[in-house]
Amino acid sequence: IRLGFRGSETGTLVLDSRFKENLKSARRAGLDVGVYFFSQAITPEEAIEEARYVMKHIRGKGVRYPVAFDMEPIDGTERAAKLKKEEKTAIADAFCQVIDRNGHTPMVYGNPKWMRKHIDLGYLSDYDKWLAHYAEKTTYRSDFAMWQYTDSGTVDGIHGPVDMNLYFYEK
């Protein structure tokens, strides 16, 4: 469930307008849930602020699946567009450290190109990866714990296309 995002122009933290409703509905349906936050942090300090914002909104809410950091490019004009690979890696690490210290499983989300070219996977090896690769079979060669394989799934009770994911974990 998308918890929220940081504005790509102003840098304001925003709670997704449907987060509370989506969380409540998923829990009522008996689903285990995780959340993600769309980051536009430009410093590790902003990433820490984002992670604390996430924790404030999930504490005591029964979130059992990972808490994911999502920093995709938008259109090249967003505030995080000019960051170097090392900066993006440090920002992702700062977010994930806070999530981990608060007892949740941190995860880094991205498509194959972003994972290969925009962050240092070796440095972030302690964190699970959530791969966004829309295909019947992925050719991505690095490890990942979750796979978003389509953005055009269907789910009863939800109007319109839905992202579909597989989460690989050991019980």
Side-chain angles (χ1 to χ4, degrees), residues 128-142:
D128 287 341
K129 309 306 177 295
W130 178 9
L131 177 67
H133 188 204
Y134 304 150
E136 285 188 29
K137 182 178 179 182
T138 185
T139 56
Y140 185 69
R141 298 281 182 226
S142 295

Side-chain angles (χ1 to χ4, degrees), residues 48-68:
I48 290 167
E49 179 186 27
E50 290 174 351
R52 288 178 177 160
Y53 184 80
V54 169
M55 291 309 307
K56 177 177 109 176
H57 289 286
I58 67 171
R59 193 168 281 115
K61 301 287 193 295
V63 172
R64 293 184 168 180
Y65 271 24
V67 175

Side-chain angles (χ1 to χ4, degrees), residues 8 40 72-83 88 118:
S8 62
Q40 280 293 295
E72 306 167 76
I74 300 171
D75 62 9
T77 63
E78 66 276 4
R79 65 195 308 264
K82 293 188 179 12
L83 294 174
K88 291 176 186 176
H118 292 271

Side-chain angles (χ1 to χ4, degrees), residues 89-107:
T89 300
I91 289 166
D93 185 41
F95 181 96
C96 290
Q97 283 185 41
V98 172
I99 299 306
D100 187 50
R101 280 196 307 267
N102 280 276
H104 288 272
T105 301
M107 183 176 271

Side-chain angles (χ1 to χ4, degrees), residues 107 128 144-147 166-170:
M107 183 176 271
D128 287 341
F144 55 93
M146 196 152 147
W147 177 25
L166 296 171
Y167 182 37
F168 308 103
Y169 69 99
E170 293 182 34

Side-chain angles (χ1 to χ4, degrees), residues 1-170:
I1 298 172
R2 183 173 82 162
L3 184 136
F5 58 93
R6 182 181 289 276
S8 62
E9 293 177 18
T10 65
T12 304
L13 297 179
V14 179
L15 187 67
D16 186 292
S17 63
R18 304 214 37 195
F19 171 69
K20 291 178 183 177
E21 173 190 350
N22 289 340
L23 182 63
K24 183 178 178 182
S25 296
R27 301 286 297 136
R28 188 173 46 242
L31 298 174
D32 287 333
V33 298
V35 300
Y36 73 93
F37 188 85
F38 185 80
S39 176
Q40 280 293 295
I42 56 174
T43 66
E45 292 76 22
E46 283 190 357
I48 290 167
E49 179 186 27
E50 290 174 351
R52 288 178 177 160
Y53 184 80
V54 169
M55 291 309 307
K56 177 177 109 176
H57 289 286
I58 67 171
R59 193 168 281 115
K61 301 287 193 295
V63 172
R64 293 184 168 180
Y65 271 24
V67 175
F69 174 84
D70 176 4
M71 181 190 257
E72 306 167 76
I74 300 171
D75 62 9
T77 63
E78 66 276 4
R79 65 195 308 264
K82 293 188 179 12
L83 294 174
K84 295 179 178 133
K85 182 176 188 173
E86 297 78 21
E87 293 170 311
K88 291 176 186 176
T89 300
I91 289 166
D93 185 41
F95 181 96
C96 290
Q97 283 185 41
V98 172
I99 299 306
D100 187 50
R101 280 196 307 267
N102 280 276
H104 288 272
T105 301
M107 183 176 271
V108 177
Y109 173 90
N111 64 42
K113 180 180 177 182
W114 192 82
M115 295 280 207
R116 282 191 318 271
K117 296 186 177 202
H118 292 271
I119 57 172
D120 181 343
L121 290 175
Y123 189 85
L124 299 173
S125 63
D126 288 346
Y127 309 122
D128 287 341
K129 309 306 177 295
W130 178 9
L131 177 67
H133 188 204
Y134 304 150
E136 285 188 29
K137 182 178 179 182
T138 185
T139 56
Y140 185 69
R141 298 281 182 226
S142 295
D143 291 337
F144 55 93
M146 196 152 147
W147 177 25
Q148 185 174 88
Y149 59 91
T150 186
D151 62 352
S152 58
T154 58
V155 174
D156 289 343
I158 298 177
H159 301 290
V162 177
D163 294 343
M164 302 298 284
N165 299 276
L166 296 171
Y167 182 37
F168 308 103
Y169 69 99
E170 293 182 34

